[in-house]
Amino acid sequence: MKQSIVHVALVVRDYDEAIDFYVNKLKFELVEDTYQAEQDKRWVVVSPPGSNGVALLLARASKTEQEVFIGNQAGGRVFLFLNTDDFWRDYHRMLAEGITFIRPPKEEDYGTVAVFEDLYGNLWDLLQMNDNHPMVMRMS
């Protein structure tokens, strides 16, 4: 059996402001932006450059009870993990784009990591895993 997670839904306030952040600041690729008239919503998918794994589905909050989760999808914990092949290149580029890092870069046993916020306050790890990390070896 072979299965995979294809999308992770990220609740956003507005499609266009979320697209602007992910595409113009994080340099993600806009994979799809399709209007679904029958539900009056858009199917918006973004993905890190060069990625062939999980993509983000930007899902606009459509109910009051969904709005409270914008920026707090993981209860204040790191929610998503953006792996890179060059930590320092991406870290400095993200700083130049105005991305807020709430924890500075740190060398860990598994690699180099820093925590940043997306436009709504969700926490992300920017990380470059060491070559001998099991996940890196699995992707090779």
Side-chain angles (χ1 to χ4, degrees):
M1 176 173 14
K2 184 175 181 178
Q3 298 178 339
S4 62
I5 296 173
V6 179
H7 299 105
V8 171
L10 182 67
V11 180
V12 301
R13 182 178 1 270
D14 177 81
Y15 292 119
D16 293 322
E17 74 181 4
I19 290 170
D20 181 60
F21 177 83
Y22 286 99
V23 172
N24 296 322
K25 293 196 179 281
L26 287 187
K27 305 303 182 198
F28 281 25
E29 297 169 0
L30 180 61
V31 176
E32 185 175 356
D33 184 356
T34 304
Y35 180 66
Q36 298 178 329
E38 66 281 355
Q39 296 179 48
D40 190 30
K41 67 178 185 179
R42 288 160 62 185
W43 182 262
V44 179
V45 179
V46 296
S47 179
S51 175
N52 60 0
V54 176
L56 287 180
L57 172 66
L58 303 179
R60 188 190 70 210
S62 59
K63 300 176 186 175
T64 304
E65 53 268 18
Q66 294 171 354
E67 290 175 1
V68 299
F69 294 101
I70 297 171
N72 192 24
Q73 292 211 180
R77 294 192 58 130
V78 170
F79 176 53
L80 296 164
F81 300 79
L82 180 60
N83 189 49
T84 178
D85 63 347
D86 187 333
F87 177 89
W88 293 107
R89 173 199 65 211
D90 292 345
Y91 175 75
H92 290 296
R93 182 190 51 75
M94 290 167 73
L95 283 175
E97 290 288 348
I99 305 294
T100 301
F101 281 84
I102 64 160
R103 283 190 225 133
K106 185 176 181 184
E107 295 293 330
E108 297 285 357
D109 291 340
Y110 56 84
T112 307
V113 62
V115 178
F116 70 94
E117 293 179 321
D118 69 13
L119 75 162
Y120 298 115
N122 291 301
L123 300 181
W124 290 64
D125 271 1
L126 172 65
L127 68 115
Q128 182 176 3
M129 293 184 272
N130 293 332
D131 289 339
N132 63 351
H133 187 278
M135 195 66 193
V136 173
M137 294 175 9
R138 186 172 159 206
M139 292 185 297
S140 298

